[in-house]
Amino acid sequence: MTAAAEVVRLESTLDTSHVRARQPPLSLEAVGVSKRFGGLAALDSVDFKLTPGSFHALLGENGAGKSTLVKCIMGFYQADEGKLLVGGQPITVKSPKEAQRHGIGMVYQHFTLVENMSVAENLVLSRADVPRIIDWKKEKRELEEFMDEMPFRISPERLVRKLAAGEKQKLEILKQLYVGSRIVILDEPTSVLTPQEADEVLGMLREMAYQGRVSVAMITHKFREVVAYSDEVTVLRRGKLAGTGKTRDLTPEAMAEMMVGAEVPRASLERRELEGAAKFFELDKLSANDDLGLKVLEEVSLSVAAGEIVGIAGVSGNGQDELVEVLAGQRPTSSGSVRVDGKDYTPTRAQMRQRRVRLLPEAPLKNACVGNMSVAENIGFRCYDEPPNTSLGWLVRGSALRSRARAAIQEYGIKAPGPDAPIAGLSGGNVQRAVLARELTGEVNVLIAANPCFGLDFAAVSEIRTRIMAARNSGSAVLLVSSDLEEIFALSDRILVMSEGRIVYESKASEANMADIGRHMGGAHH
Amino acid sequence: MSASASLGTAQTEQPDSVSKLALARVFRFFESLAVPLAALLVSFALFGVFVAFTGNSPLDVYAEMYRGAFGTWFSFQNTLLRAAPLMLTGLCTALPARLGLIVIGGEGALVMGGVAAAAIGPALGGAPPPVVTLAMATFGMAAGALWIGAAGALRVLRGVNETISSLLLSYIAIALLNHLVEGPLKDPTSLNKPSTVHIGDHNMLANTPGFDVHLGLVFGIVACLVCYVLMDRTTFGFGGRIVGGNVRAARLSGLGVKKLVIITCCLAGAAAGLAGMVEVAAVHGRANASLVAGYGYSGILVAFLARQNPLAIIPVSLLLGGIGASGGLLQRAFGLPDAAVAVLQGTLFVVLLASETYQGRIRLVPRALGGS
């Protein structure tokens, strides 16, 4: 038993006493926190203050730095600069365990419960000082006392597997209180919940904050939740503090503007207009289910003209991934249809080839490559079964694939030891360049790109965007799905917003209003 | 870092880099051999400990094993006889493994192939022997294909784990064999050991020219060669490798994953079914409980030792065939239990599975050749 465990035990004995409800939790403050990953500033001198007993919303787009900030507080990362104060005293947190010692706990987006164990077992398990032999009678008595003090009660006997999603999330929160956390940080706690469940969970949290049991900091991008439940809000944008204040003083429009910025980023890439391009790529009431069989795409209809880039913006997890999977043939549709040039399209090899549909998925190594096959083979996925890469019609000519790959390596500047090297050994940017070489070679009628630049360095990003724009300028219909608004604006002719599996907003890029887009991304259509 | 450094050599020293690439390929070849060879040595060492416990000298036993397997022309032919079906059942596991499926039902496909061959042989009556042989092979392969194809279809259409389903299908096949040889297909004259009707001596498979070993050996070697070309050189095999490497990438490339899996499983089953036909047409002359001799299960070991490479299956089958052939000699010369050979095979399999985690971690390619 370490000193850490000792302190936790001390605190938890304190917590079960009646003192707790009266004494508000300590304040939490982050001052001038900066964190860099390589050349990227994930956080740039950000201040954040959590008032004791308040419900604080942390708002921002994907990649704005919310998670990084929280991870610095929890000790997953060490901040490069800045300091943390609890109750005005500076602290250093090197691990989540140490954060726990300071009474800071975290609830994650996805559950961390053991499904096949009971509520009581899960709670006892979460303690830092689980005894070798557990006196269940005593534990259960104490658990009953603990539950009696809580605004919400889950029978300790119940099996976690049988709890509804909302109950599980409440149990996660109870778990934090049980181990003695007075400052609870939640990372998008409602993303796996229905709106009703979300209301219950957030209502309970606010109640507990008002009673002075905990301070709550919640990462979210749903304005509805911010407005309805939070007292204060801090908005981050691109790693910087974009604004903070009392929620009641702010309108959703003001928050949206803080989140996405007031100015529309100007596209710098050269655009060539095509005359009279007809609708070329169309989705008609396309629906699909997620892996659990829940509806994740609801009658998505859209069209992309030849020589046009249509950008789909949205907070990730609103059906964009599944939409791309459906178009890539990685997920079946439940209803609706896709048409290319007026003809029905299903993502088979023959049709992809005939209609010239190409894809640039995100995470190319996971979605578009076979890691232990060579660069040449990976570049040849689209054409290994066509002349001149075959002989006798059914033998693959490795030499043809290799010489093709050598040309692609030159043209696309792929840094690889050679065409025979396994592609998994290449850097992310070079894997994406190899996929680009494969997908953009030859005539392309429809290009579907999903976060094509995610996680890549600056040089790769600008090159890949230039190539996508070049495909558009030469007449491809491009559907760009991205959680990066800057990318959407840099490339798109038309912008759609996707939220909860539906297209909820459409605008020409030149007339797009940032605040509107931000609001719709946050679910303002409710 | 090393990637960008060697990029320079790849572009500026074109002629040199070609020979370098060839050299790198040689190194990679040895790299792929390193882990199975090490596993082989470790299991021989462990089996040596077991032998020492029985009071024998491991070195003597290994020397005797070598004699019993490869030492004389006679013992080598015995080894070849056992290697032939192992090549075919090895393919039954190796082919689906290239697509990422672990099929262990070779025994069932072999039994079904044997039963189907034994059923069609006598039914053809007075047809010329080549016709009978062809019909038996066709039926045997079709029955095996049906068996493993079913496991593949269950996998892609219903999400049933192919390892479990193929294993369970083996039990069904064995039960079916027992039912048929004791019922509908029973030869009334086979009293002690219920069997099907004998296919007739004139219909038995001829010997391989120059050997006292039946043509099954040729079937096995040809099948391995054909499968090597199929999986490593054709467009079909290329698609299969994409499916085996990353199903998502395969779907993105528009490949018919289901079709590829089912066809490959059918081919795998056909190989094992052919092994069953050979056992009937060349060894037993009829289908009976002797078909269930464990060739199907040893085939799993063969495939894993060969790292699912059809070409490597040929030498590996010889090795395991040799171990099997030496079993009787060990019993006679050292009084080792009959199961000693099974202990060696089991040790080999466990060590091999445990060594899988080292695969790809042993690096022999020098940095200058693009190794990491």
Side-chain angles (χ1 to χ4, degrees), chain A residues 352-364:
Chain A
M352 281 178 176
R353 183 166 290 166
Q354 194 191 354
R355 313 257 207 276
R356 301 199 168 88
V357 178
R358 301 295 175 85
L359 295 112
L360 285 179
E362 63 178 279

Side-chain angles (χ1 to χ4, degrees), chain A residues 140-380:
Chain A
K140 283 197 176 133
R141 202 171 51 238
E142 286 177 9
L143 272 175
E144 288 293 337
E145 284 169 20
F146 168 76
M147 289 285 188
D148 285 343
E149 278 193 35
M150 292 295 126
F152 176 79
R153 191 184 160 85
I154 304 172
S155 163
E157 308 296 329
R158 289 180 67 190
L159 212 55
V160 167
R161 185 155 42 85
K162 303 219 165 129
L163 299 180
E167 290 177 305
K168 283 183 194 168
Q169 199 57 286
K170 284 181 192 165
L171 178 57
E172 292 278 9
I173 293 163
L174 289 185
K175 197 166 94 179
Q176 285 306 321
L177 296 171
Y178 178 75
V179 300
S181 300
R182 306 295 308 277
I183 297 167
V184 179
I185 302 173
L186 302 103
D187 187 359
E188 294 183 45
T190 59
S191 63
V192 288
L193 306 182
T194 65
Q196 292 78 11
E197 285 175 327
D199 283 334
E200 273 186 41
V201 169
L202 298 179
M204 169 183 122
L205 271 173
R206 190 177 55 173
E207 189 59 36
M208 293 199 295
Y210 282 174
Q211 291 172 5
R213 289 171 193 267
V214 290
S215 305
V216 178
M218 178 176 76
I219 293 180
T220 183
H221 18 230
K222 295 182 182 160
F223 290 117
R224 187 184 72 88
E225 295 176 355
V226 175
V227 173
Y229 295 101
S230 73
D231 306 313
E232 288 173 87
V233 57
T234 293
V235 186
L236 297 183
R237 184 172 76 238
R238 296 186 179 273
K240 293 201 173 102
L241 181 66
T244 184
K246 298 252 185 259
T247 310
R248 62 167 183 269
D249 300 338
L250 291 165
T251 60
E253 284 73 20
M255 285 189 260
E257 198 183 302
M258 285 184 198
M259 189 164 106
V260 297
E263 272 179 50
V264 175
R266 283 294 143 218
S268 57
L269 297 161
E270 194 195 336
R271 232 169 251 278
R272 215 175 54 228
E273 297 313 318
L274 276 102
E275 290 300 312
K279 285 178 181 176
F280 200 83
F281 181 58
E282 294 166 280
L283 309 189
D284 188 13
K285 294 188 174 167
L286 197 67
S287 297
N289 296 337
D290 67 8
D291 295 337
L292 300 172
L294 299 171
K295 200 157 215 183
V296 70
L297 285 183
E298 289 191 46
E299 305 205 332
V300 172
S301 297
L302 60 88
S303 66
V304 187
E308 182 189 36
I309 298 180
V310 170
I312 297 187
V315 170
S316 61
N318 275 285
Q320 302 98 311
D321 291 354
E322 287 82 1
L323 175 65
V324 174
E325 285 176 345
V326 164
L327 298 176
Q330 295 170 332
R331 178 177 296 279
T333 49
S334 50
S335 67
S337 61
V338 181
R339 281 191 295 277
V340 175
D341 200 10
K343 291 190 278 278
D344 272 332
Y345 167 78
T346 44
T348 61
R349 195 166 177 79
Q351 290 205 15
M352 281 178 176
R353 183 166 290 166
Q354 194 191 354
R355 313 257 207 276
R356 301 199 168 88
V357 178
R358 301 295 175 85
L359 295 112
L360 285 179
E362 63 178 279
L365 211 47
K366 179 178 157 230
N367 278 306
C369 295
V370 176
N372 58 12
M373 286 172 84
S374 72
V375 174
E377 288 168 331
N378 273 284
I379 291 180

Side-chain angles (χ1 to χ4, degrees), chain A residues 325 328-330 348-349 352 365-370 377 381-382 384-385 394-396 410 416-417 420 438, chain B residues 3-4 6-7 10-11 14 21 25 28 229 233-235 238-239 241-242 245-246 248-249 251-255:
Chain A
E325 285 176 345
Q330 295 170 332
T348 61
R349 195 166 177 79
M352 281 178 176
L365 211 47
K366 179 178 157 230
N367 278 306
C369 295
V370 176
E377 288 168 331
F381 279 6
R382 292 258 175 234
Y384 69 84
D385 51 353
W394 49 275
L395 287 178
V396 179
Q410 287 276 352
D420 285 328
R438 173 175 89 206
Chain B
S4 59
S6 40
L7 177 69
Q11 283 177 343
Q14 205 54 261
L21 283 177
R25 235 180 275 168
R28 286 217 180 86
V229 172
R233 290 284 177 263
T234 67
T235 55
F238 197 100
R241 280 162 66 204
I242 301 177
N246 184 353
R248 293 178 69 85
R251 297 218 171 94
L252 186 97
S253 311
L255 293 171

Side-chain angles (χ1 to χ4, degrees), chain A residues 94-121:
Chain A
K94 293 214 175 64
S95 71
K97 249 191 183 146
E98 277 189 51
Q100 182 67 66
R101 218 194 304 168
H102 293 290
I104 310 171
M106 184 149 171
V107 172
Y108 301 89
Q109 196 170 354
H110 299 286
F111 304 124
T112 58
L113 299 163
V114 183
E115 292 270 312
N116 273 335
M117 289 172 91
S118 72
V119 170
E121 286 168 330

